[in-house]
Amino acid sequence: MSALLRLRTPLLALGQTPGASTSSSVLRGFHASTALLAGGKKGTTKPGKKPTTGKKAQKIGGKNNKRQVKESTGPKRAEAHSVIKVEHPLFQSNVGERKLPAYTPADLTGDAVGKALAFSTVANSPIHAFGLPKTMKKEFLHSGQAFSIVRSSTLNLLDELDQLAGSPAVEGKPSQEGTNRLVLTGPSGCGKSMLLLQAVNYCAQNDWIVYYVPHGIDWVNATSPYGFDYRSQLFHQHALASDALAKMLRVNGTKIAKLQLSEDIPVPGGKPGTVLTAGTSLETLAQYGVKDPLLAPQTLVLLMEEFGKQTRYPVLLAVDDFQALYNKSVYRDPQFKPVSSYHLSMPRLILEYASGKRQLARGALLGALSSTNTTYPVIEPLREALGLPVEGGVPVSPYGKQQNSYKEFTTGLRSITVPQQFSMAEAAAFLEVWSANGAFHSALNDTFLLSKYTETSGNPRELLKKGILSTLQTF
């Protein structure tokens, strides 16, 4: 034991925990030296330890020690620190960061294809309120700004949404073009999640009511509390419903406040006979679920019903990891059996809109498939409804077990295929943003662009991972 302690002591003395890599200790030393060069006023005092001054200093070292303390904290010492400036580019943040034009509906024209535009990140923006997919959050963290490349598929999808906004739905026939229940499909890494985020930001700025779910898997992976409700025969997810209402008010508060109840409804959680009269603001209704999470599932259903009836504002329900809603959840019933997603209140609500059991008078439901998490694959009924090729090229056996219980929730879904590759102009714009932020060793040129485009086959995710992030690892 004593020998082990002797071995561990040098590591602990250097501030490095056993098993930590040398690079982490170097980074800590780098940050410490940077703070020292910047000239902190507290000198070299260890964190968490106050300097000894005053009477305590006299007791320890007498008058001479007191004089030394005064000299070290005097005006001359502070002035000497204040004149030290770190001007080397290595110590500057966002050196040469490129200021991108804003992502606004007015700029999304044919001339914008192949250009990089920056998303808004203000307090009531969809990105700030609803959040981002985990992979996209890491990308924006590395790049230093939330941006996207406008593609031809972007404009095609936005044109589709504009048509749905202008053509009210009717029973059994949602729009002139067909169904208003769309699912973004395509190969892995082709940019489905980014296209979904572009649609959400466009609609939020174009007078739509939007609700965006960046992590559909979080609705079925048992990361939030739940409880069985005997009236609806569903497992209610109170925290998720209350959070959804709060975020919708944050992004769409002005529009929701202008909408009114179309008829009298019972007060959520109120005494029998008490009602909210027709003409009451929908904001008042939503606040019931925000203030009391136990009332949130019922309140959310009532609010969505009113959204579906009104025609003043189109409504967009956008869900990433859409295929996760068609899988068994990690939640368990009292017999410890897996709970199907359609027995959970939040997935059930979206599945009913996806299947047409609930209607939106104006607007659309837009989902995006994801293959990142293999725990939640695209099941066969959903694959058949979207007309997707059989996975692996192996036909489905007629004797195989089918998940027919989900089939009723796939009726009427329409697939929108996202191109597998960036065009050359789109790839160039993507790399130019990273180059301006200092991601590459040398200036971006045609040779470098062609080599990275060929190496990754123009796939957006591979271009990010192999073309950019792998380059950053060499620093």
Side-chain angles (χ1 to χ4, degrees), residues 17 56 60 140 165 190 240 291 302:
T17 56
K56 192 173 181 181
I60 296 173
F140 292 160
C190 65
L240 285 177
K291 294 176 181 178
L302 294 172

Side-chain angles (χ1 to χ4, degrees), residues 324-345:
L325 306 185
Y326 289 84
N327 282 268
K328 289 275 188 181
S329 74
V330 186
Y331 290 96
R332 301 284 176 165
D333 64 10
Q335 288 74 40
F336 207 69
K337 295 181 180 179
V339 177
S340 298
S341 60
Y342 51 77
H343 286 150
L344 296 168
S345 61

Side-chain angles (χ1 to χ4, degrees), residues 103 118-132 140 146 197 200-205 208 210-212 214 246-253 255:
Y103 183 94
F119 291 124
S120 172
T121 54
V122 296
N124 62 342
S125 65
I127 288 180
H128 197 279
F130 296 122
L132 292 167
F140 292 160
L197 183 63
V200 169
N201 278 270
Y202 172 80
C203 291
Q205 298 179 65
W208 286 55
V210 298
Y211 178 56
Y212 174 48
K247 289 178 178 178
M248 276 198 283
L249 285 175
R250 187 174 177 181
V251 177
N252 314 287
K255 306 181 193 69

Side-chain angles (χ1 to χ4, degrees), residues 315-329:
V315 180
L316 177 69
L317 302 178
V319 182
D320 210 345
D321 297 324
F322 184 68
Q323 83 290 341
L325 306 185
Y326 289 84
N327 282 268
K328 289 275 188 181
S329 74

Side-chain angles (χ1 to χ4, degrees), residues 167-180:
S167 54
V170 294
E171 187 72 25
K173 191 176 181 181
S175 71
Q176 299 174 357
E177 298 294 324
T179 179
N180 62 345

Side-chain angles (χ1 to χ4, degrees), residues 132-136 182-194 196 212-218 220 319-327 366-379 382-383 386 388 391 416 418 461:
L132 292 167
K134 295 178 182 178
T135 54
M136 201 177 297
L182 314 173
V183 181
L184 302 177
T185 62
S188 177
C190 65
K192 300 181 289 292
S193 295
M194 181 61 76
L196 182 68
Y212 174 48
V213 184
H215 313 285
I217 292 176
D218 288 349
V220 294
V319 182
D320 210 345
D321 297 324
F322 184 68
Q323 83 290 341
L325 306 185
Y326 289 84
N327 282 268
L366 183 61
L369 302 183
S370 172
S371 58
T372 305
N373 193 328
T374 56
T375 307
Y376 304 96
V378 180
I379 62 173
L382 181 59
R383 190 182 297 277
L386 296 174
L388 302 179
E391 189 172 350
I416 295 182
V418 181
R461 181 188 295 166

